[in-house]
Amino acid sequence: MLATAVLAISPGPDNIFVMVQGMANGRKYGLATVAGLMSGCLIHTTLLAFGVSALVKQNDSLFFIIKLFGALYLLFLSYKVFKSDSKIDLSNQKTVPQGLWKLYQTGFLMNVLNPKVTIFFLAFFPGFLFSDTLSTTVQFYVLGFLFIAVSSLIFGTIAVLAATISGYILNHPKAGVYLKWTQIFVFVGIAGYLLLSDK
């Protein structure tokens, strides 16, 4: 939950899109976008739960390969964050002046059609399996719902306080630097945790 919270707060295309919609169209439109994005996460969770669970049951070595891939992917993400500009640019973001349902659909499709989300879930979740008695399918769903709950809370707060948050970011250039390095540490930390975790 802590790792999810840090990742949800760190600037990315999803939460910046939510912020811009909240600023341009109002709170309920930002919240509609959040609902769409989080619904998409449920699809990715389902794909992960049924796909990876089957692989985990079949082969311990394959599970280790999945964890290794996950750790390497997270280290790659941390490198990309390190090389990126720490400045948070809101000027290039587009608003979508549509109805609530349209914004929900936009958020849903943004998430579901983004293969990077599936890859991230595949990298992120396996190291957090927590029970020897519960099936891996159930555990992936528990982790997915925790991810959705924490992200919804943070994204919802961003939607409601969009103008305030954007004003703070624009007035405090170092905020982007702090968030950038926090994100790097989280990615590297989770990668290390994945490598050291047991099945």
Side-chain angles (χ1 to χ4, degrees), residues 61-140:
S61 299
L62 193 56
F63 183 65
F64 174 77
I65 292 171
I66 291 172
K67 289 200 309 175
L68 182 62
F69 159 79
L72 292 174
Y73 181 67
L74 291 167
L75 290 173
F76 169 71
L77 290 180
S78 67
Y79 174 75
K80 285 187 69 175
V81 173
F82 174 73
K83 296 294 287 183
S84 67
D85 189 356
S86 59
K87 182 180 178 181
I88 302 171
D89 186 10
L90 302 177
S91 61
N92 293 327
Q93 299 298 316
K94 296 180 180 178
T95 58
V96 183
Q98 300 173 342
L100 294 175
W101 176 242
K102 283 292 184 183
L103 277 173
Y104 173 87
Q105 289 178 308
T106 300
F108 179 77
L109 291 174
M110 275 179 63
N111 193 287
V112 169
L113 298 178
N114 185 356
K116 291 181 180 178
V117 179
T118 300
I119 295 171
F120 178 76
F121 274 33
L122 177 60
F124 188 66
F125 283 5
F128 291 91
L129 295 174
F130 53 88
S131 174
D132 294 328
T133 55
L134 285 175
S135 73
T136 51
T137 300
V138 171
Q139 291 181 69
F140 278 128

Side-chain angles (χ1 to χ4, degrees), residues 24-61:
N25 302 313
R27 294 176 181 176
K28 62 181 180 179
Y29 293 91
L31 291 172
T33 308
V34 174
L37 289 167
M38 295 303 104
S39 298
C41 285
L42 187 57
I43 302 298
H44 291 290
T45 300
T46 300
L47 292 173
L48 181 70
F50 287 97
V52 174
S53 294
L55 296 176
V56 169
K57 289 177 184 176
Q58 292 172 5
N59 195 316
D60 287 348
S61 299

